[in-house]
Amino acid sequence: MQEALSLAEQAGQVGEVPIAALVVSPEGIVVGRGANRVEAAHCQAEHAEICAIRDACMRRADWRLVGCTIYVTLEPCIMCVGLILLSRVDRIVYAAESPLFGYRLDKQGMLALYMKHIKGVTSGVLENDSIRLLREFFSKKRIKHNE
């Protein structure tokens, strides 16, 4: 998670919301890295998780990430958790909960069909560090907006 936080910090420095993700193989090797690229790509599909999964799939030459774990600095949104599940990732580990867009807010149960494939979800890993990055980013953004 520390490496993901470092990537998130770099994303924040270039104007992206500071969120990053790593895909780690069953052997503990980082096979995919990604940080938000929404602003640079002008597209909401460029979330950190999607970038990390794309990187992992390219490196492994396989869309199936069986046995892998994804580490994310913020709880994945429903779009990203859908891709995580379809990519056959076994575990999700995230730092901070997302009160606005987190997948846990799926009140209609759209993800129930796929969630059975996830072997585990861990939250709160280096949560305070992630929250600090996000707060600092948005605080600076508000200051610039008010100037």
Side-chain angles (χ1 to χ4, degrees):
M1 188 64 76
Q2 194 63 51
E3 184 177 344
L5 285 165
S6 178
L7 280 174
E9 188 169 13
Q10 291 170 29
Q13 291 169 356
V14 297
E16 298 286 349
V17 175
I19 302 169
L22 301 175
V23 177
V24 178
S25 73
E27 298 79 30
I29 299 166
V30 176
V31 294
R33 290 175 176 80
N36 266 7
R37 292 186 18 81
V38 171
E39 299 299 331
H42 308 292
C43 180
Q44 272 295 329
E46 293 298 312
H47 285 196
E49 300 91 327
I50 293 172
C51 296
I53 287 172
R54 183 183 305 120
D55 187 36
C57 291
M58 296 293 287
R59 288 179 193 225
R60 292 170 59 116
D62 192 354
W63 64 267
R64 294 169 196 87
L65 300 175
V66 175
C68 291
T69 299
I70 188 162
Y71 292 82
V72 189
T73 59
L74 187 68
E75 175 187 6
C77 70
I78 195 166
M79 172 180 69
C80 291
V81 85
L83 179 62
I84 290 166
L85 297 166
L86 291 170
S87 299
R88 309 292 196 271
V89 172
D90 280 13
R91 291 182 39 80
I92 301 170
V93 178
Y94 64 88
E97 292 181 351
S98 176
L100 298 176
F101 304 109
Y103 78 89
R104 295 171 301 102
L105 302 173
D106 175 25
K107 302 299 183 216
Q108 288 78 36
M110 296 178 345
L111 293 171
L113 174 65
Y114 297 109
M115 287 305 282
K116 63 183 176 191
H117 297 296
I118 293 291
K119 293 180 176 62
V121 176
T122 303
S123 62
V125 177
L126 297 179
E127 178 179 27
N128 292 333
D129 294 336
S130 179
I131 291 170
R132 179 188 48 77
L133 266 180
L134 289 162
R135 282 188 178 148
E136 287 174 4
F137 175 81
F138 286 111
S139 176
K140 288 176 187 172
K141 198 168 187 73
R142 278 190 294 278
I143 291 169
K144 282 184 182 178
H145 179 73
N146 291 332
E147 290 178 347

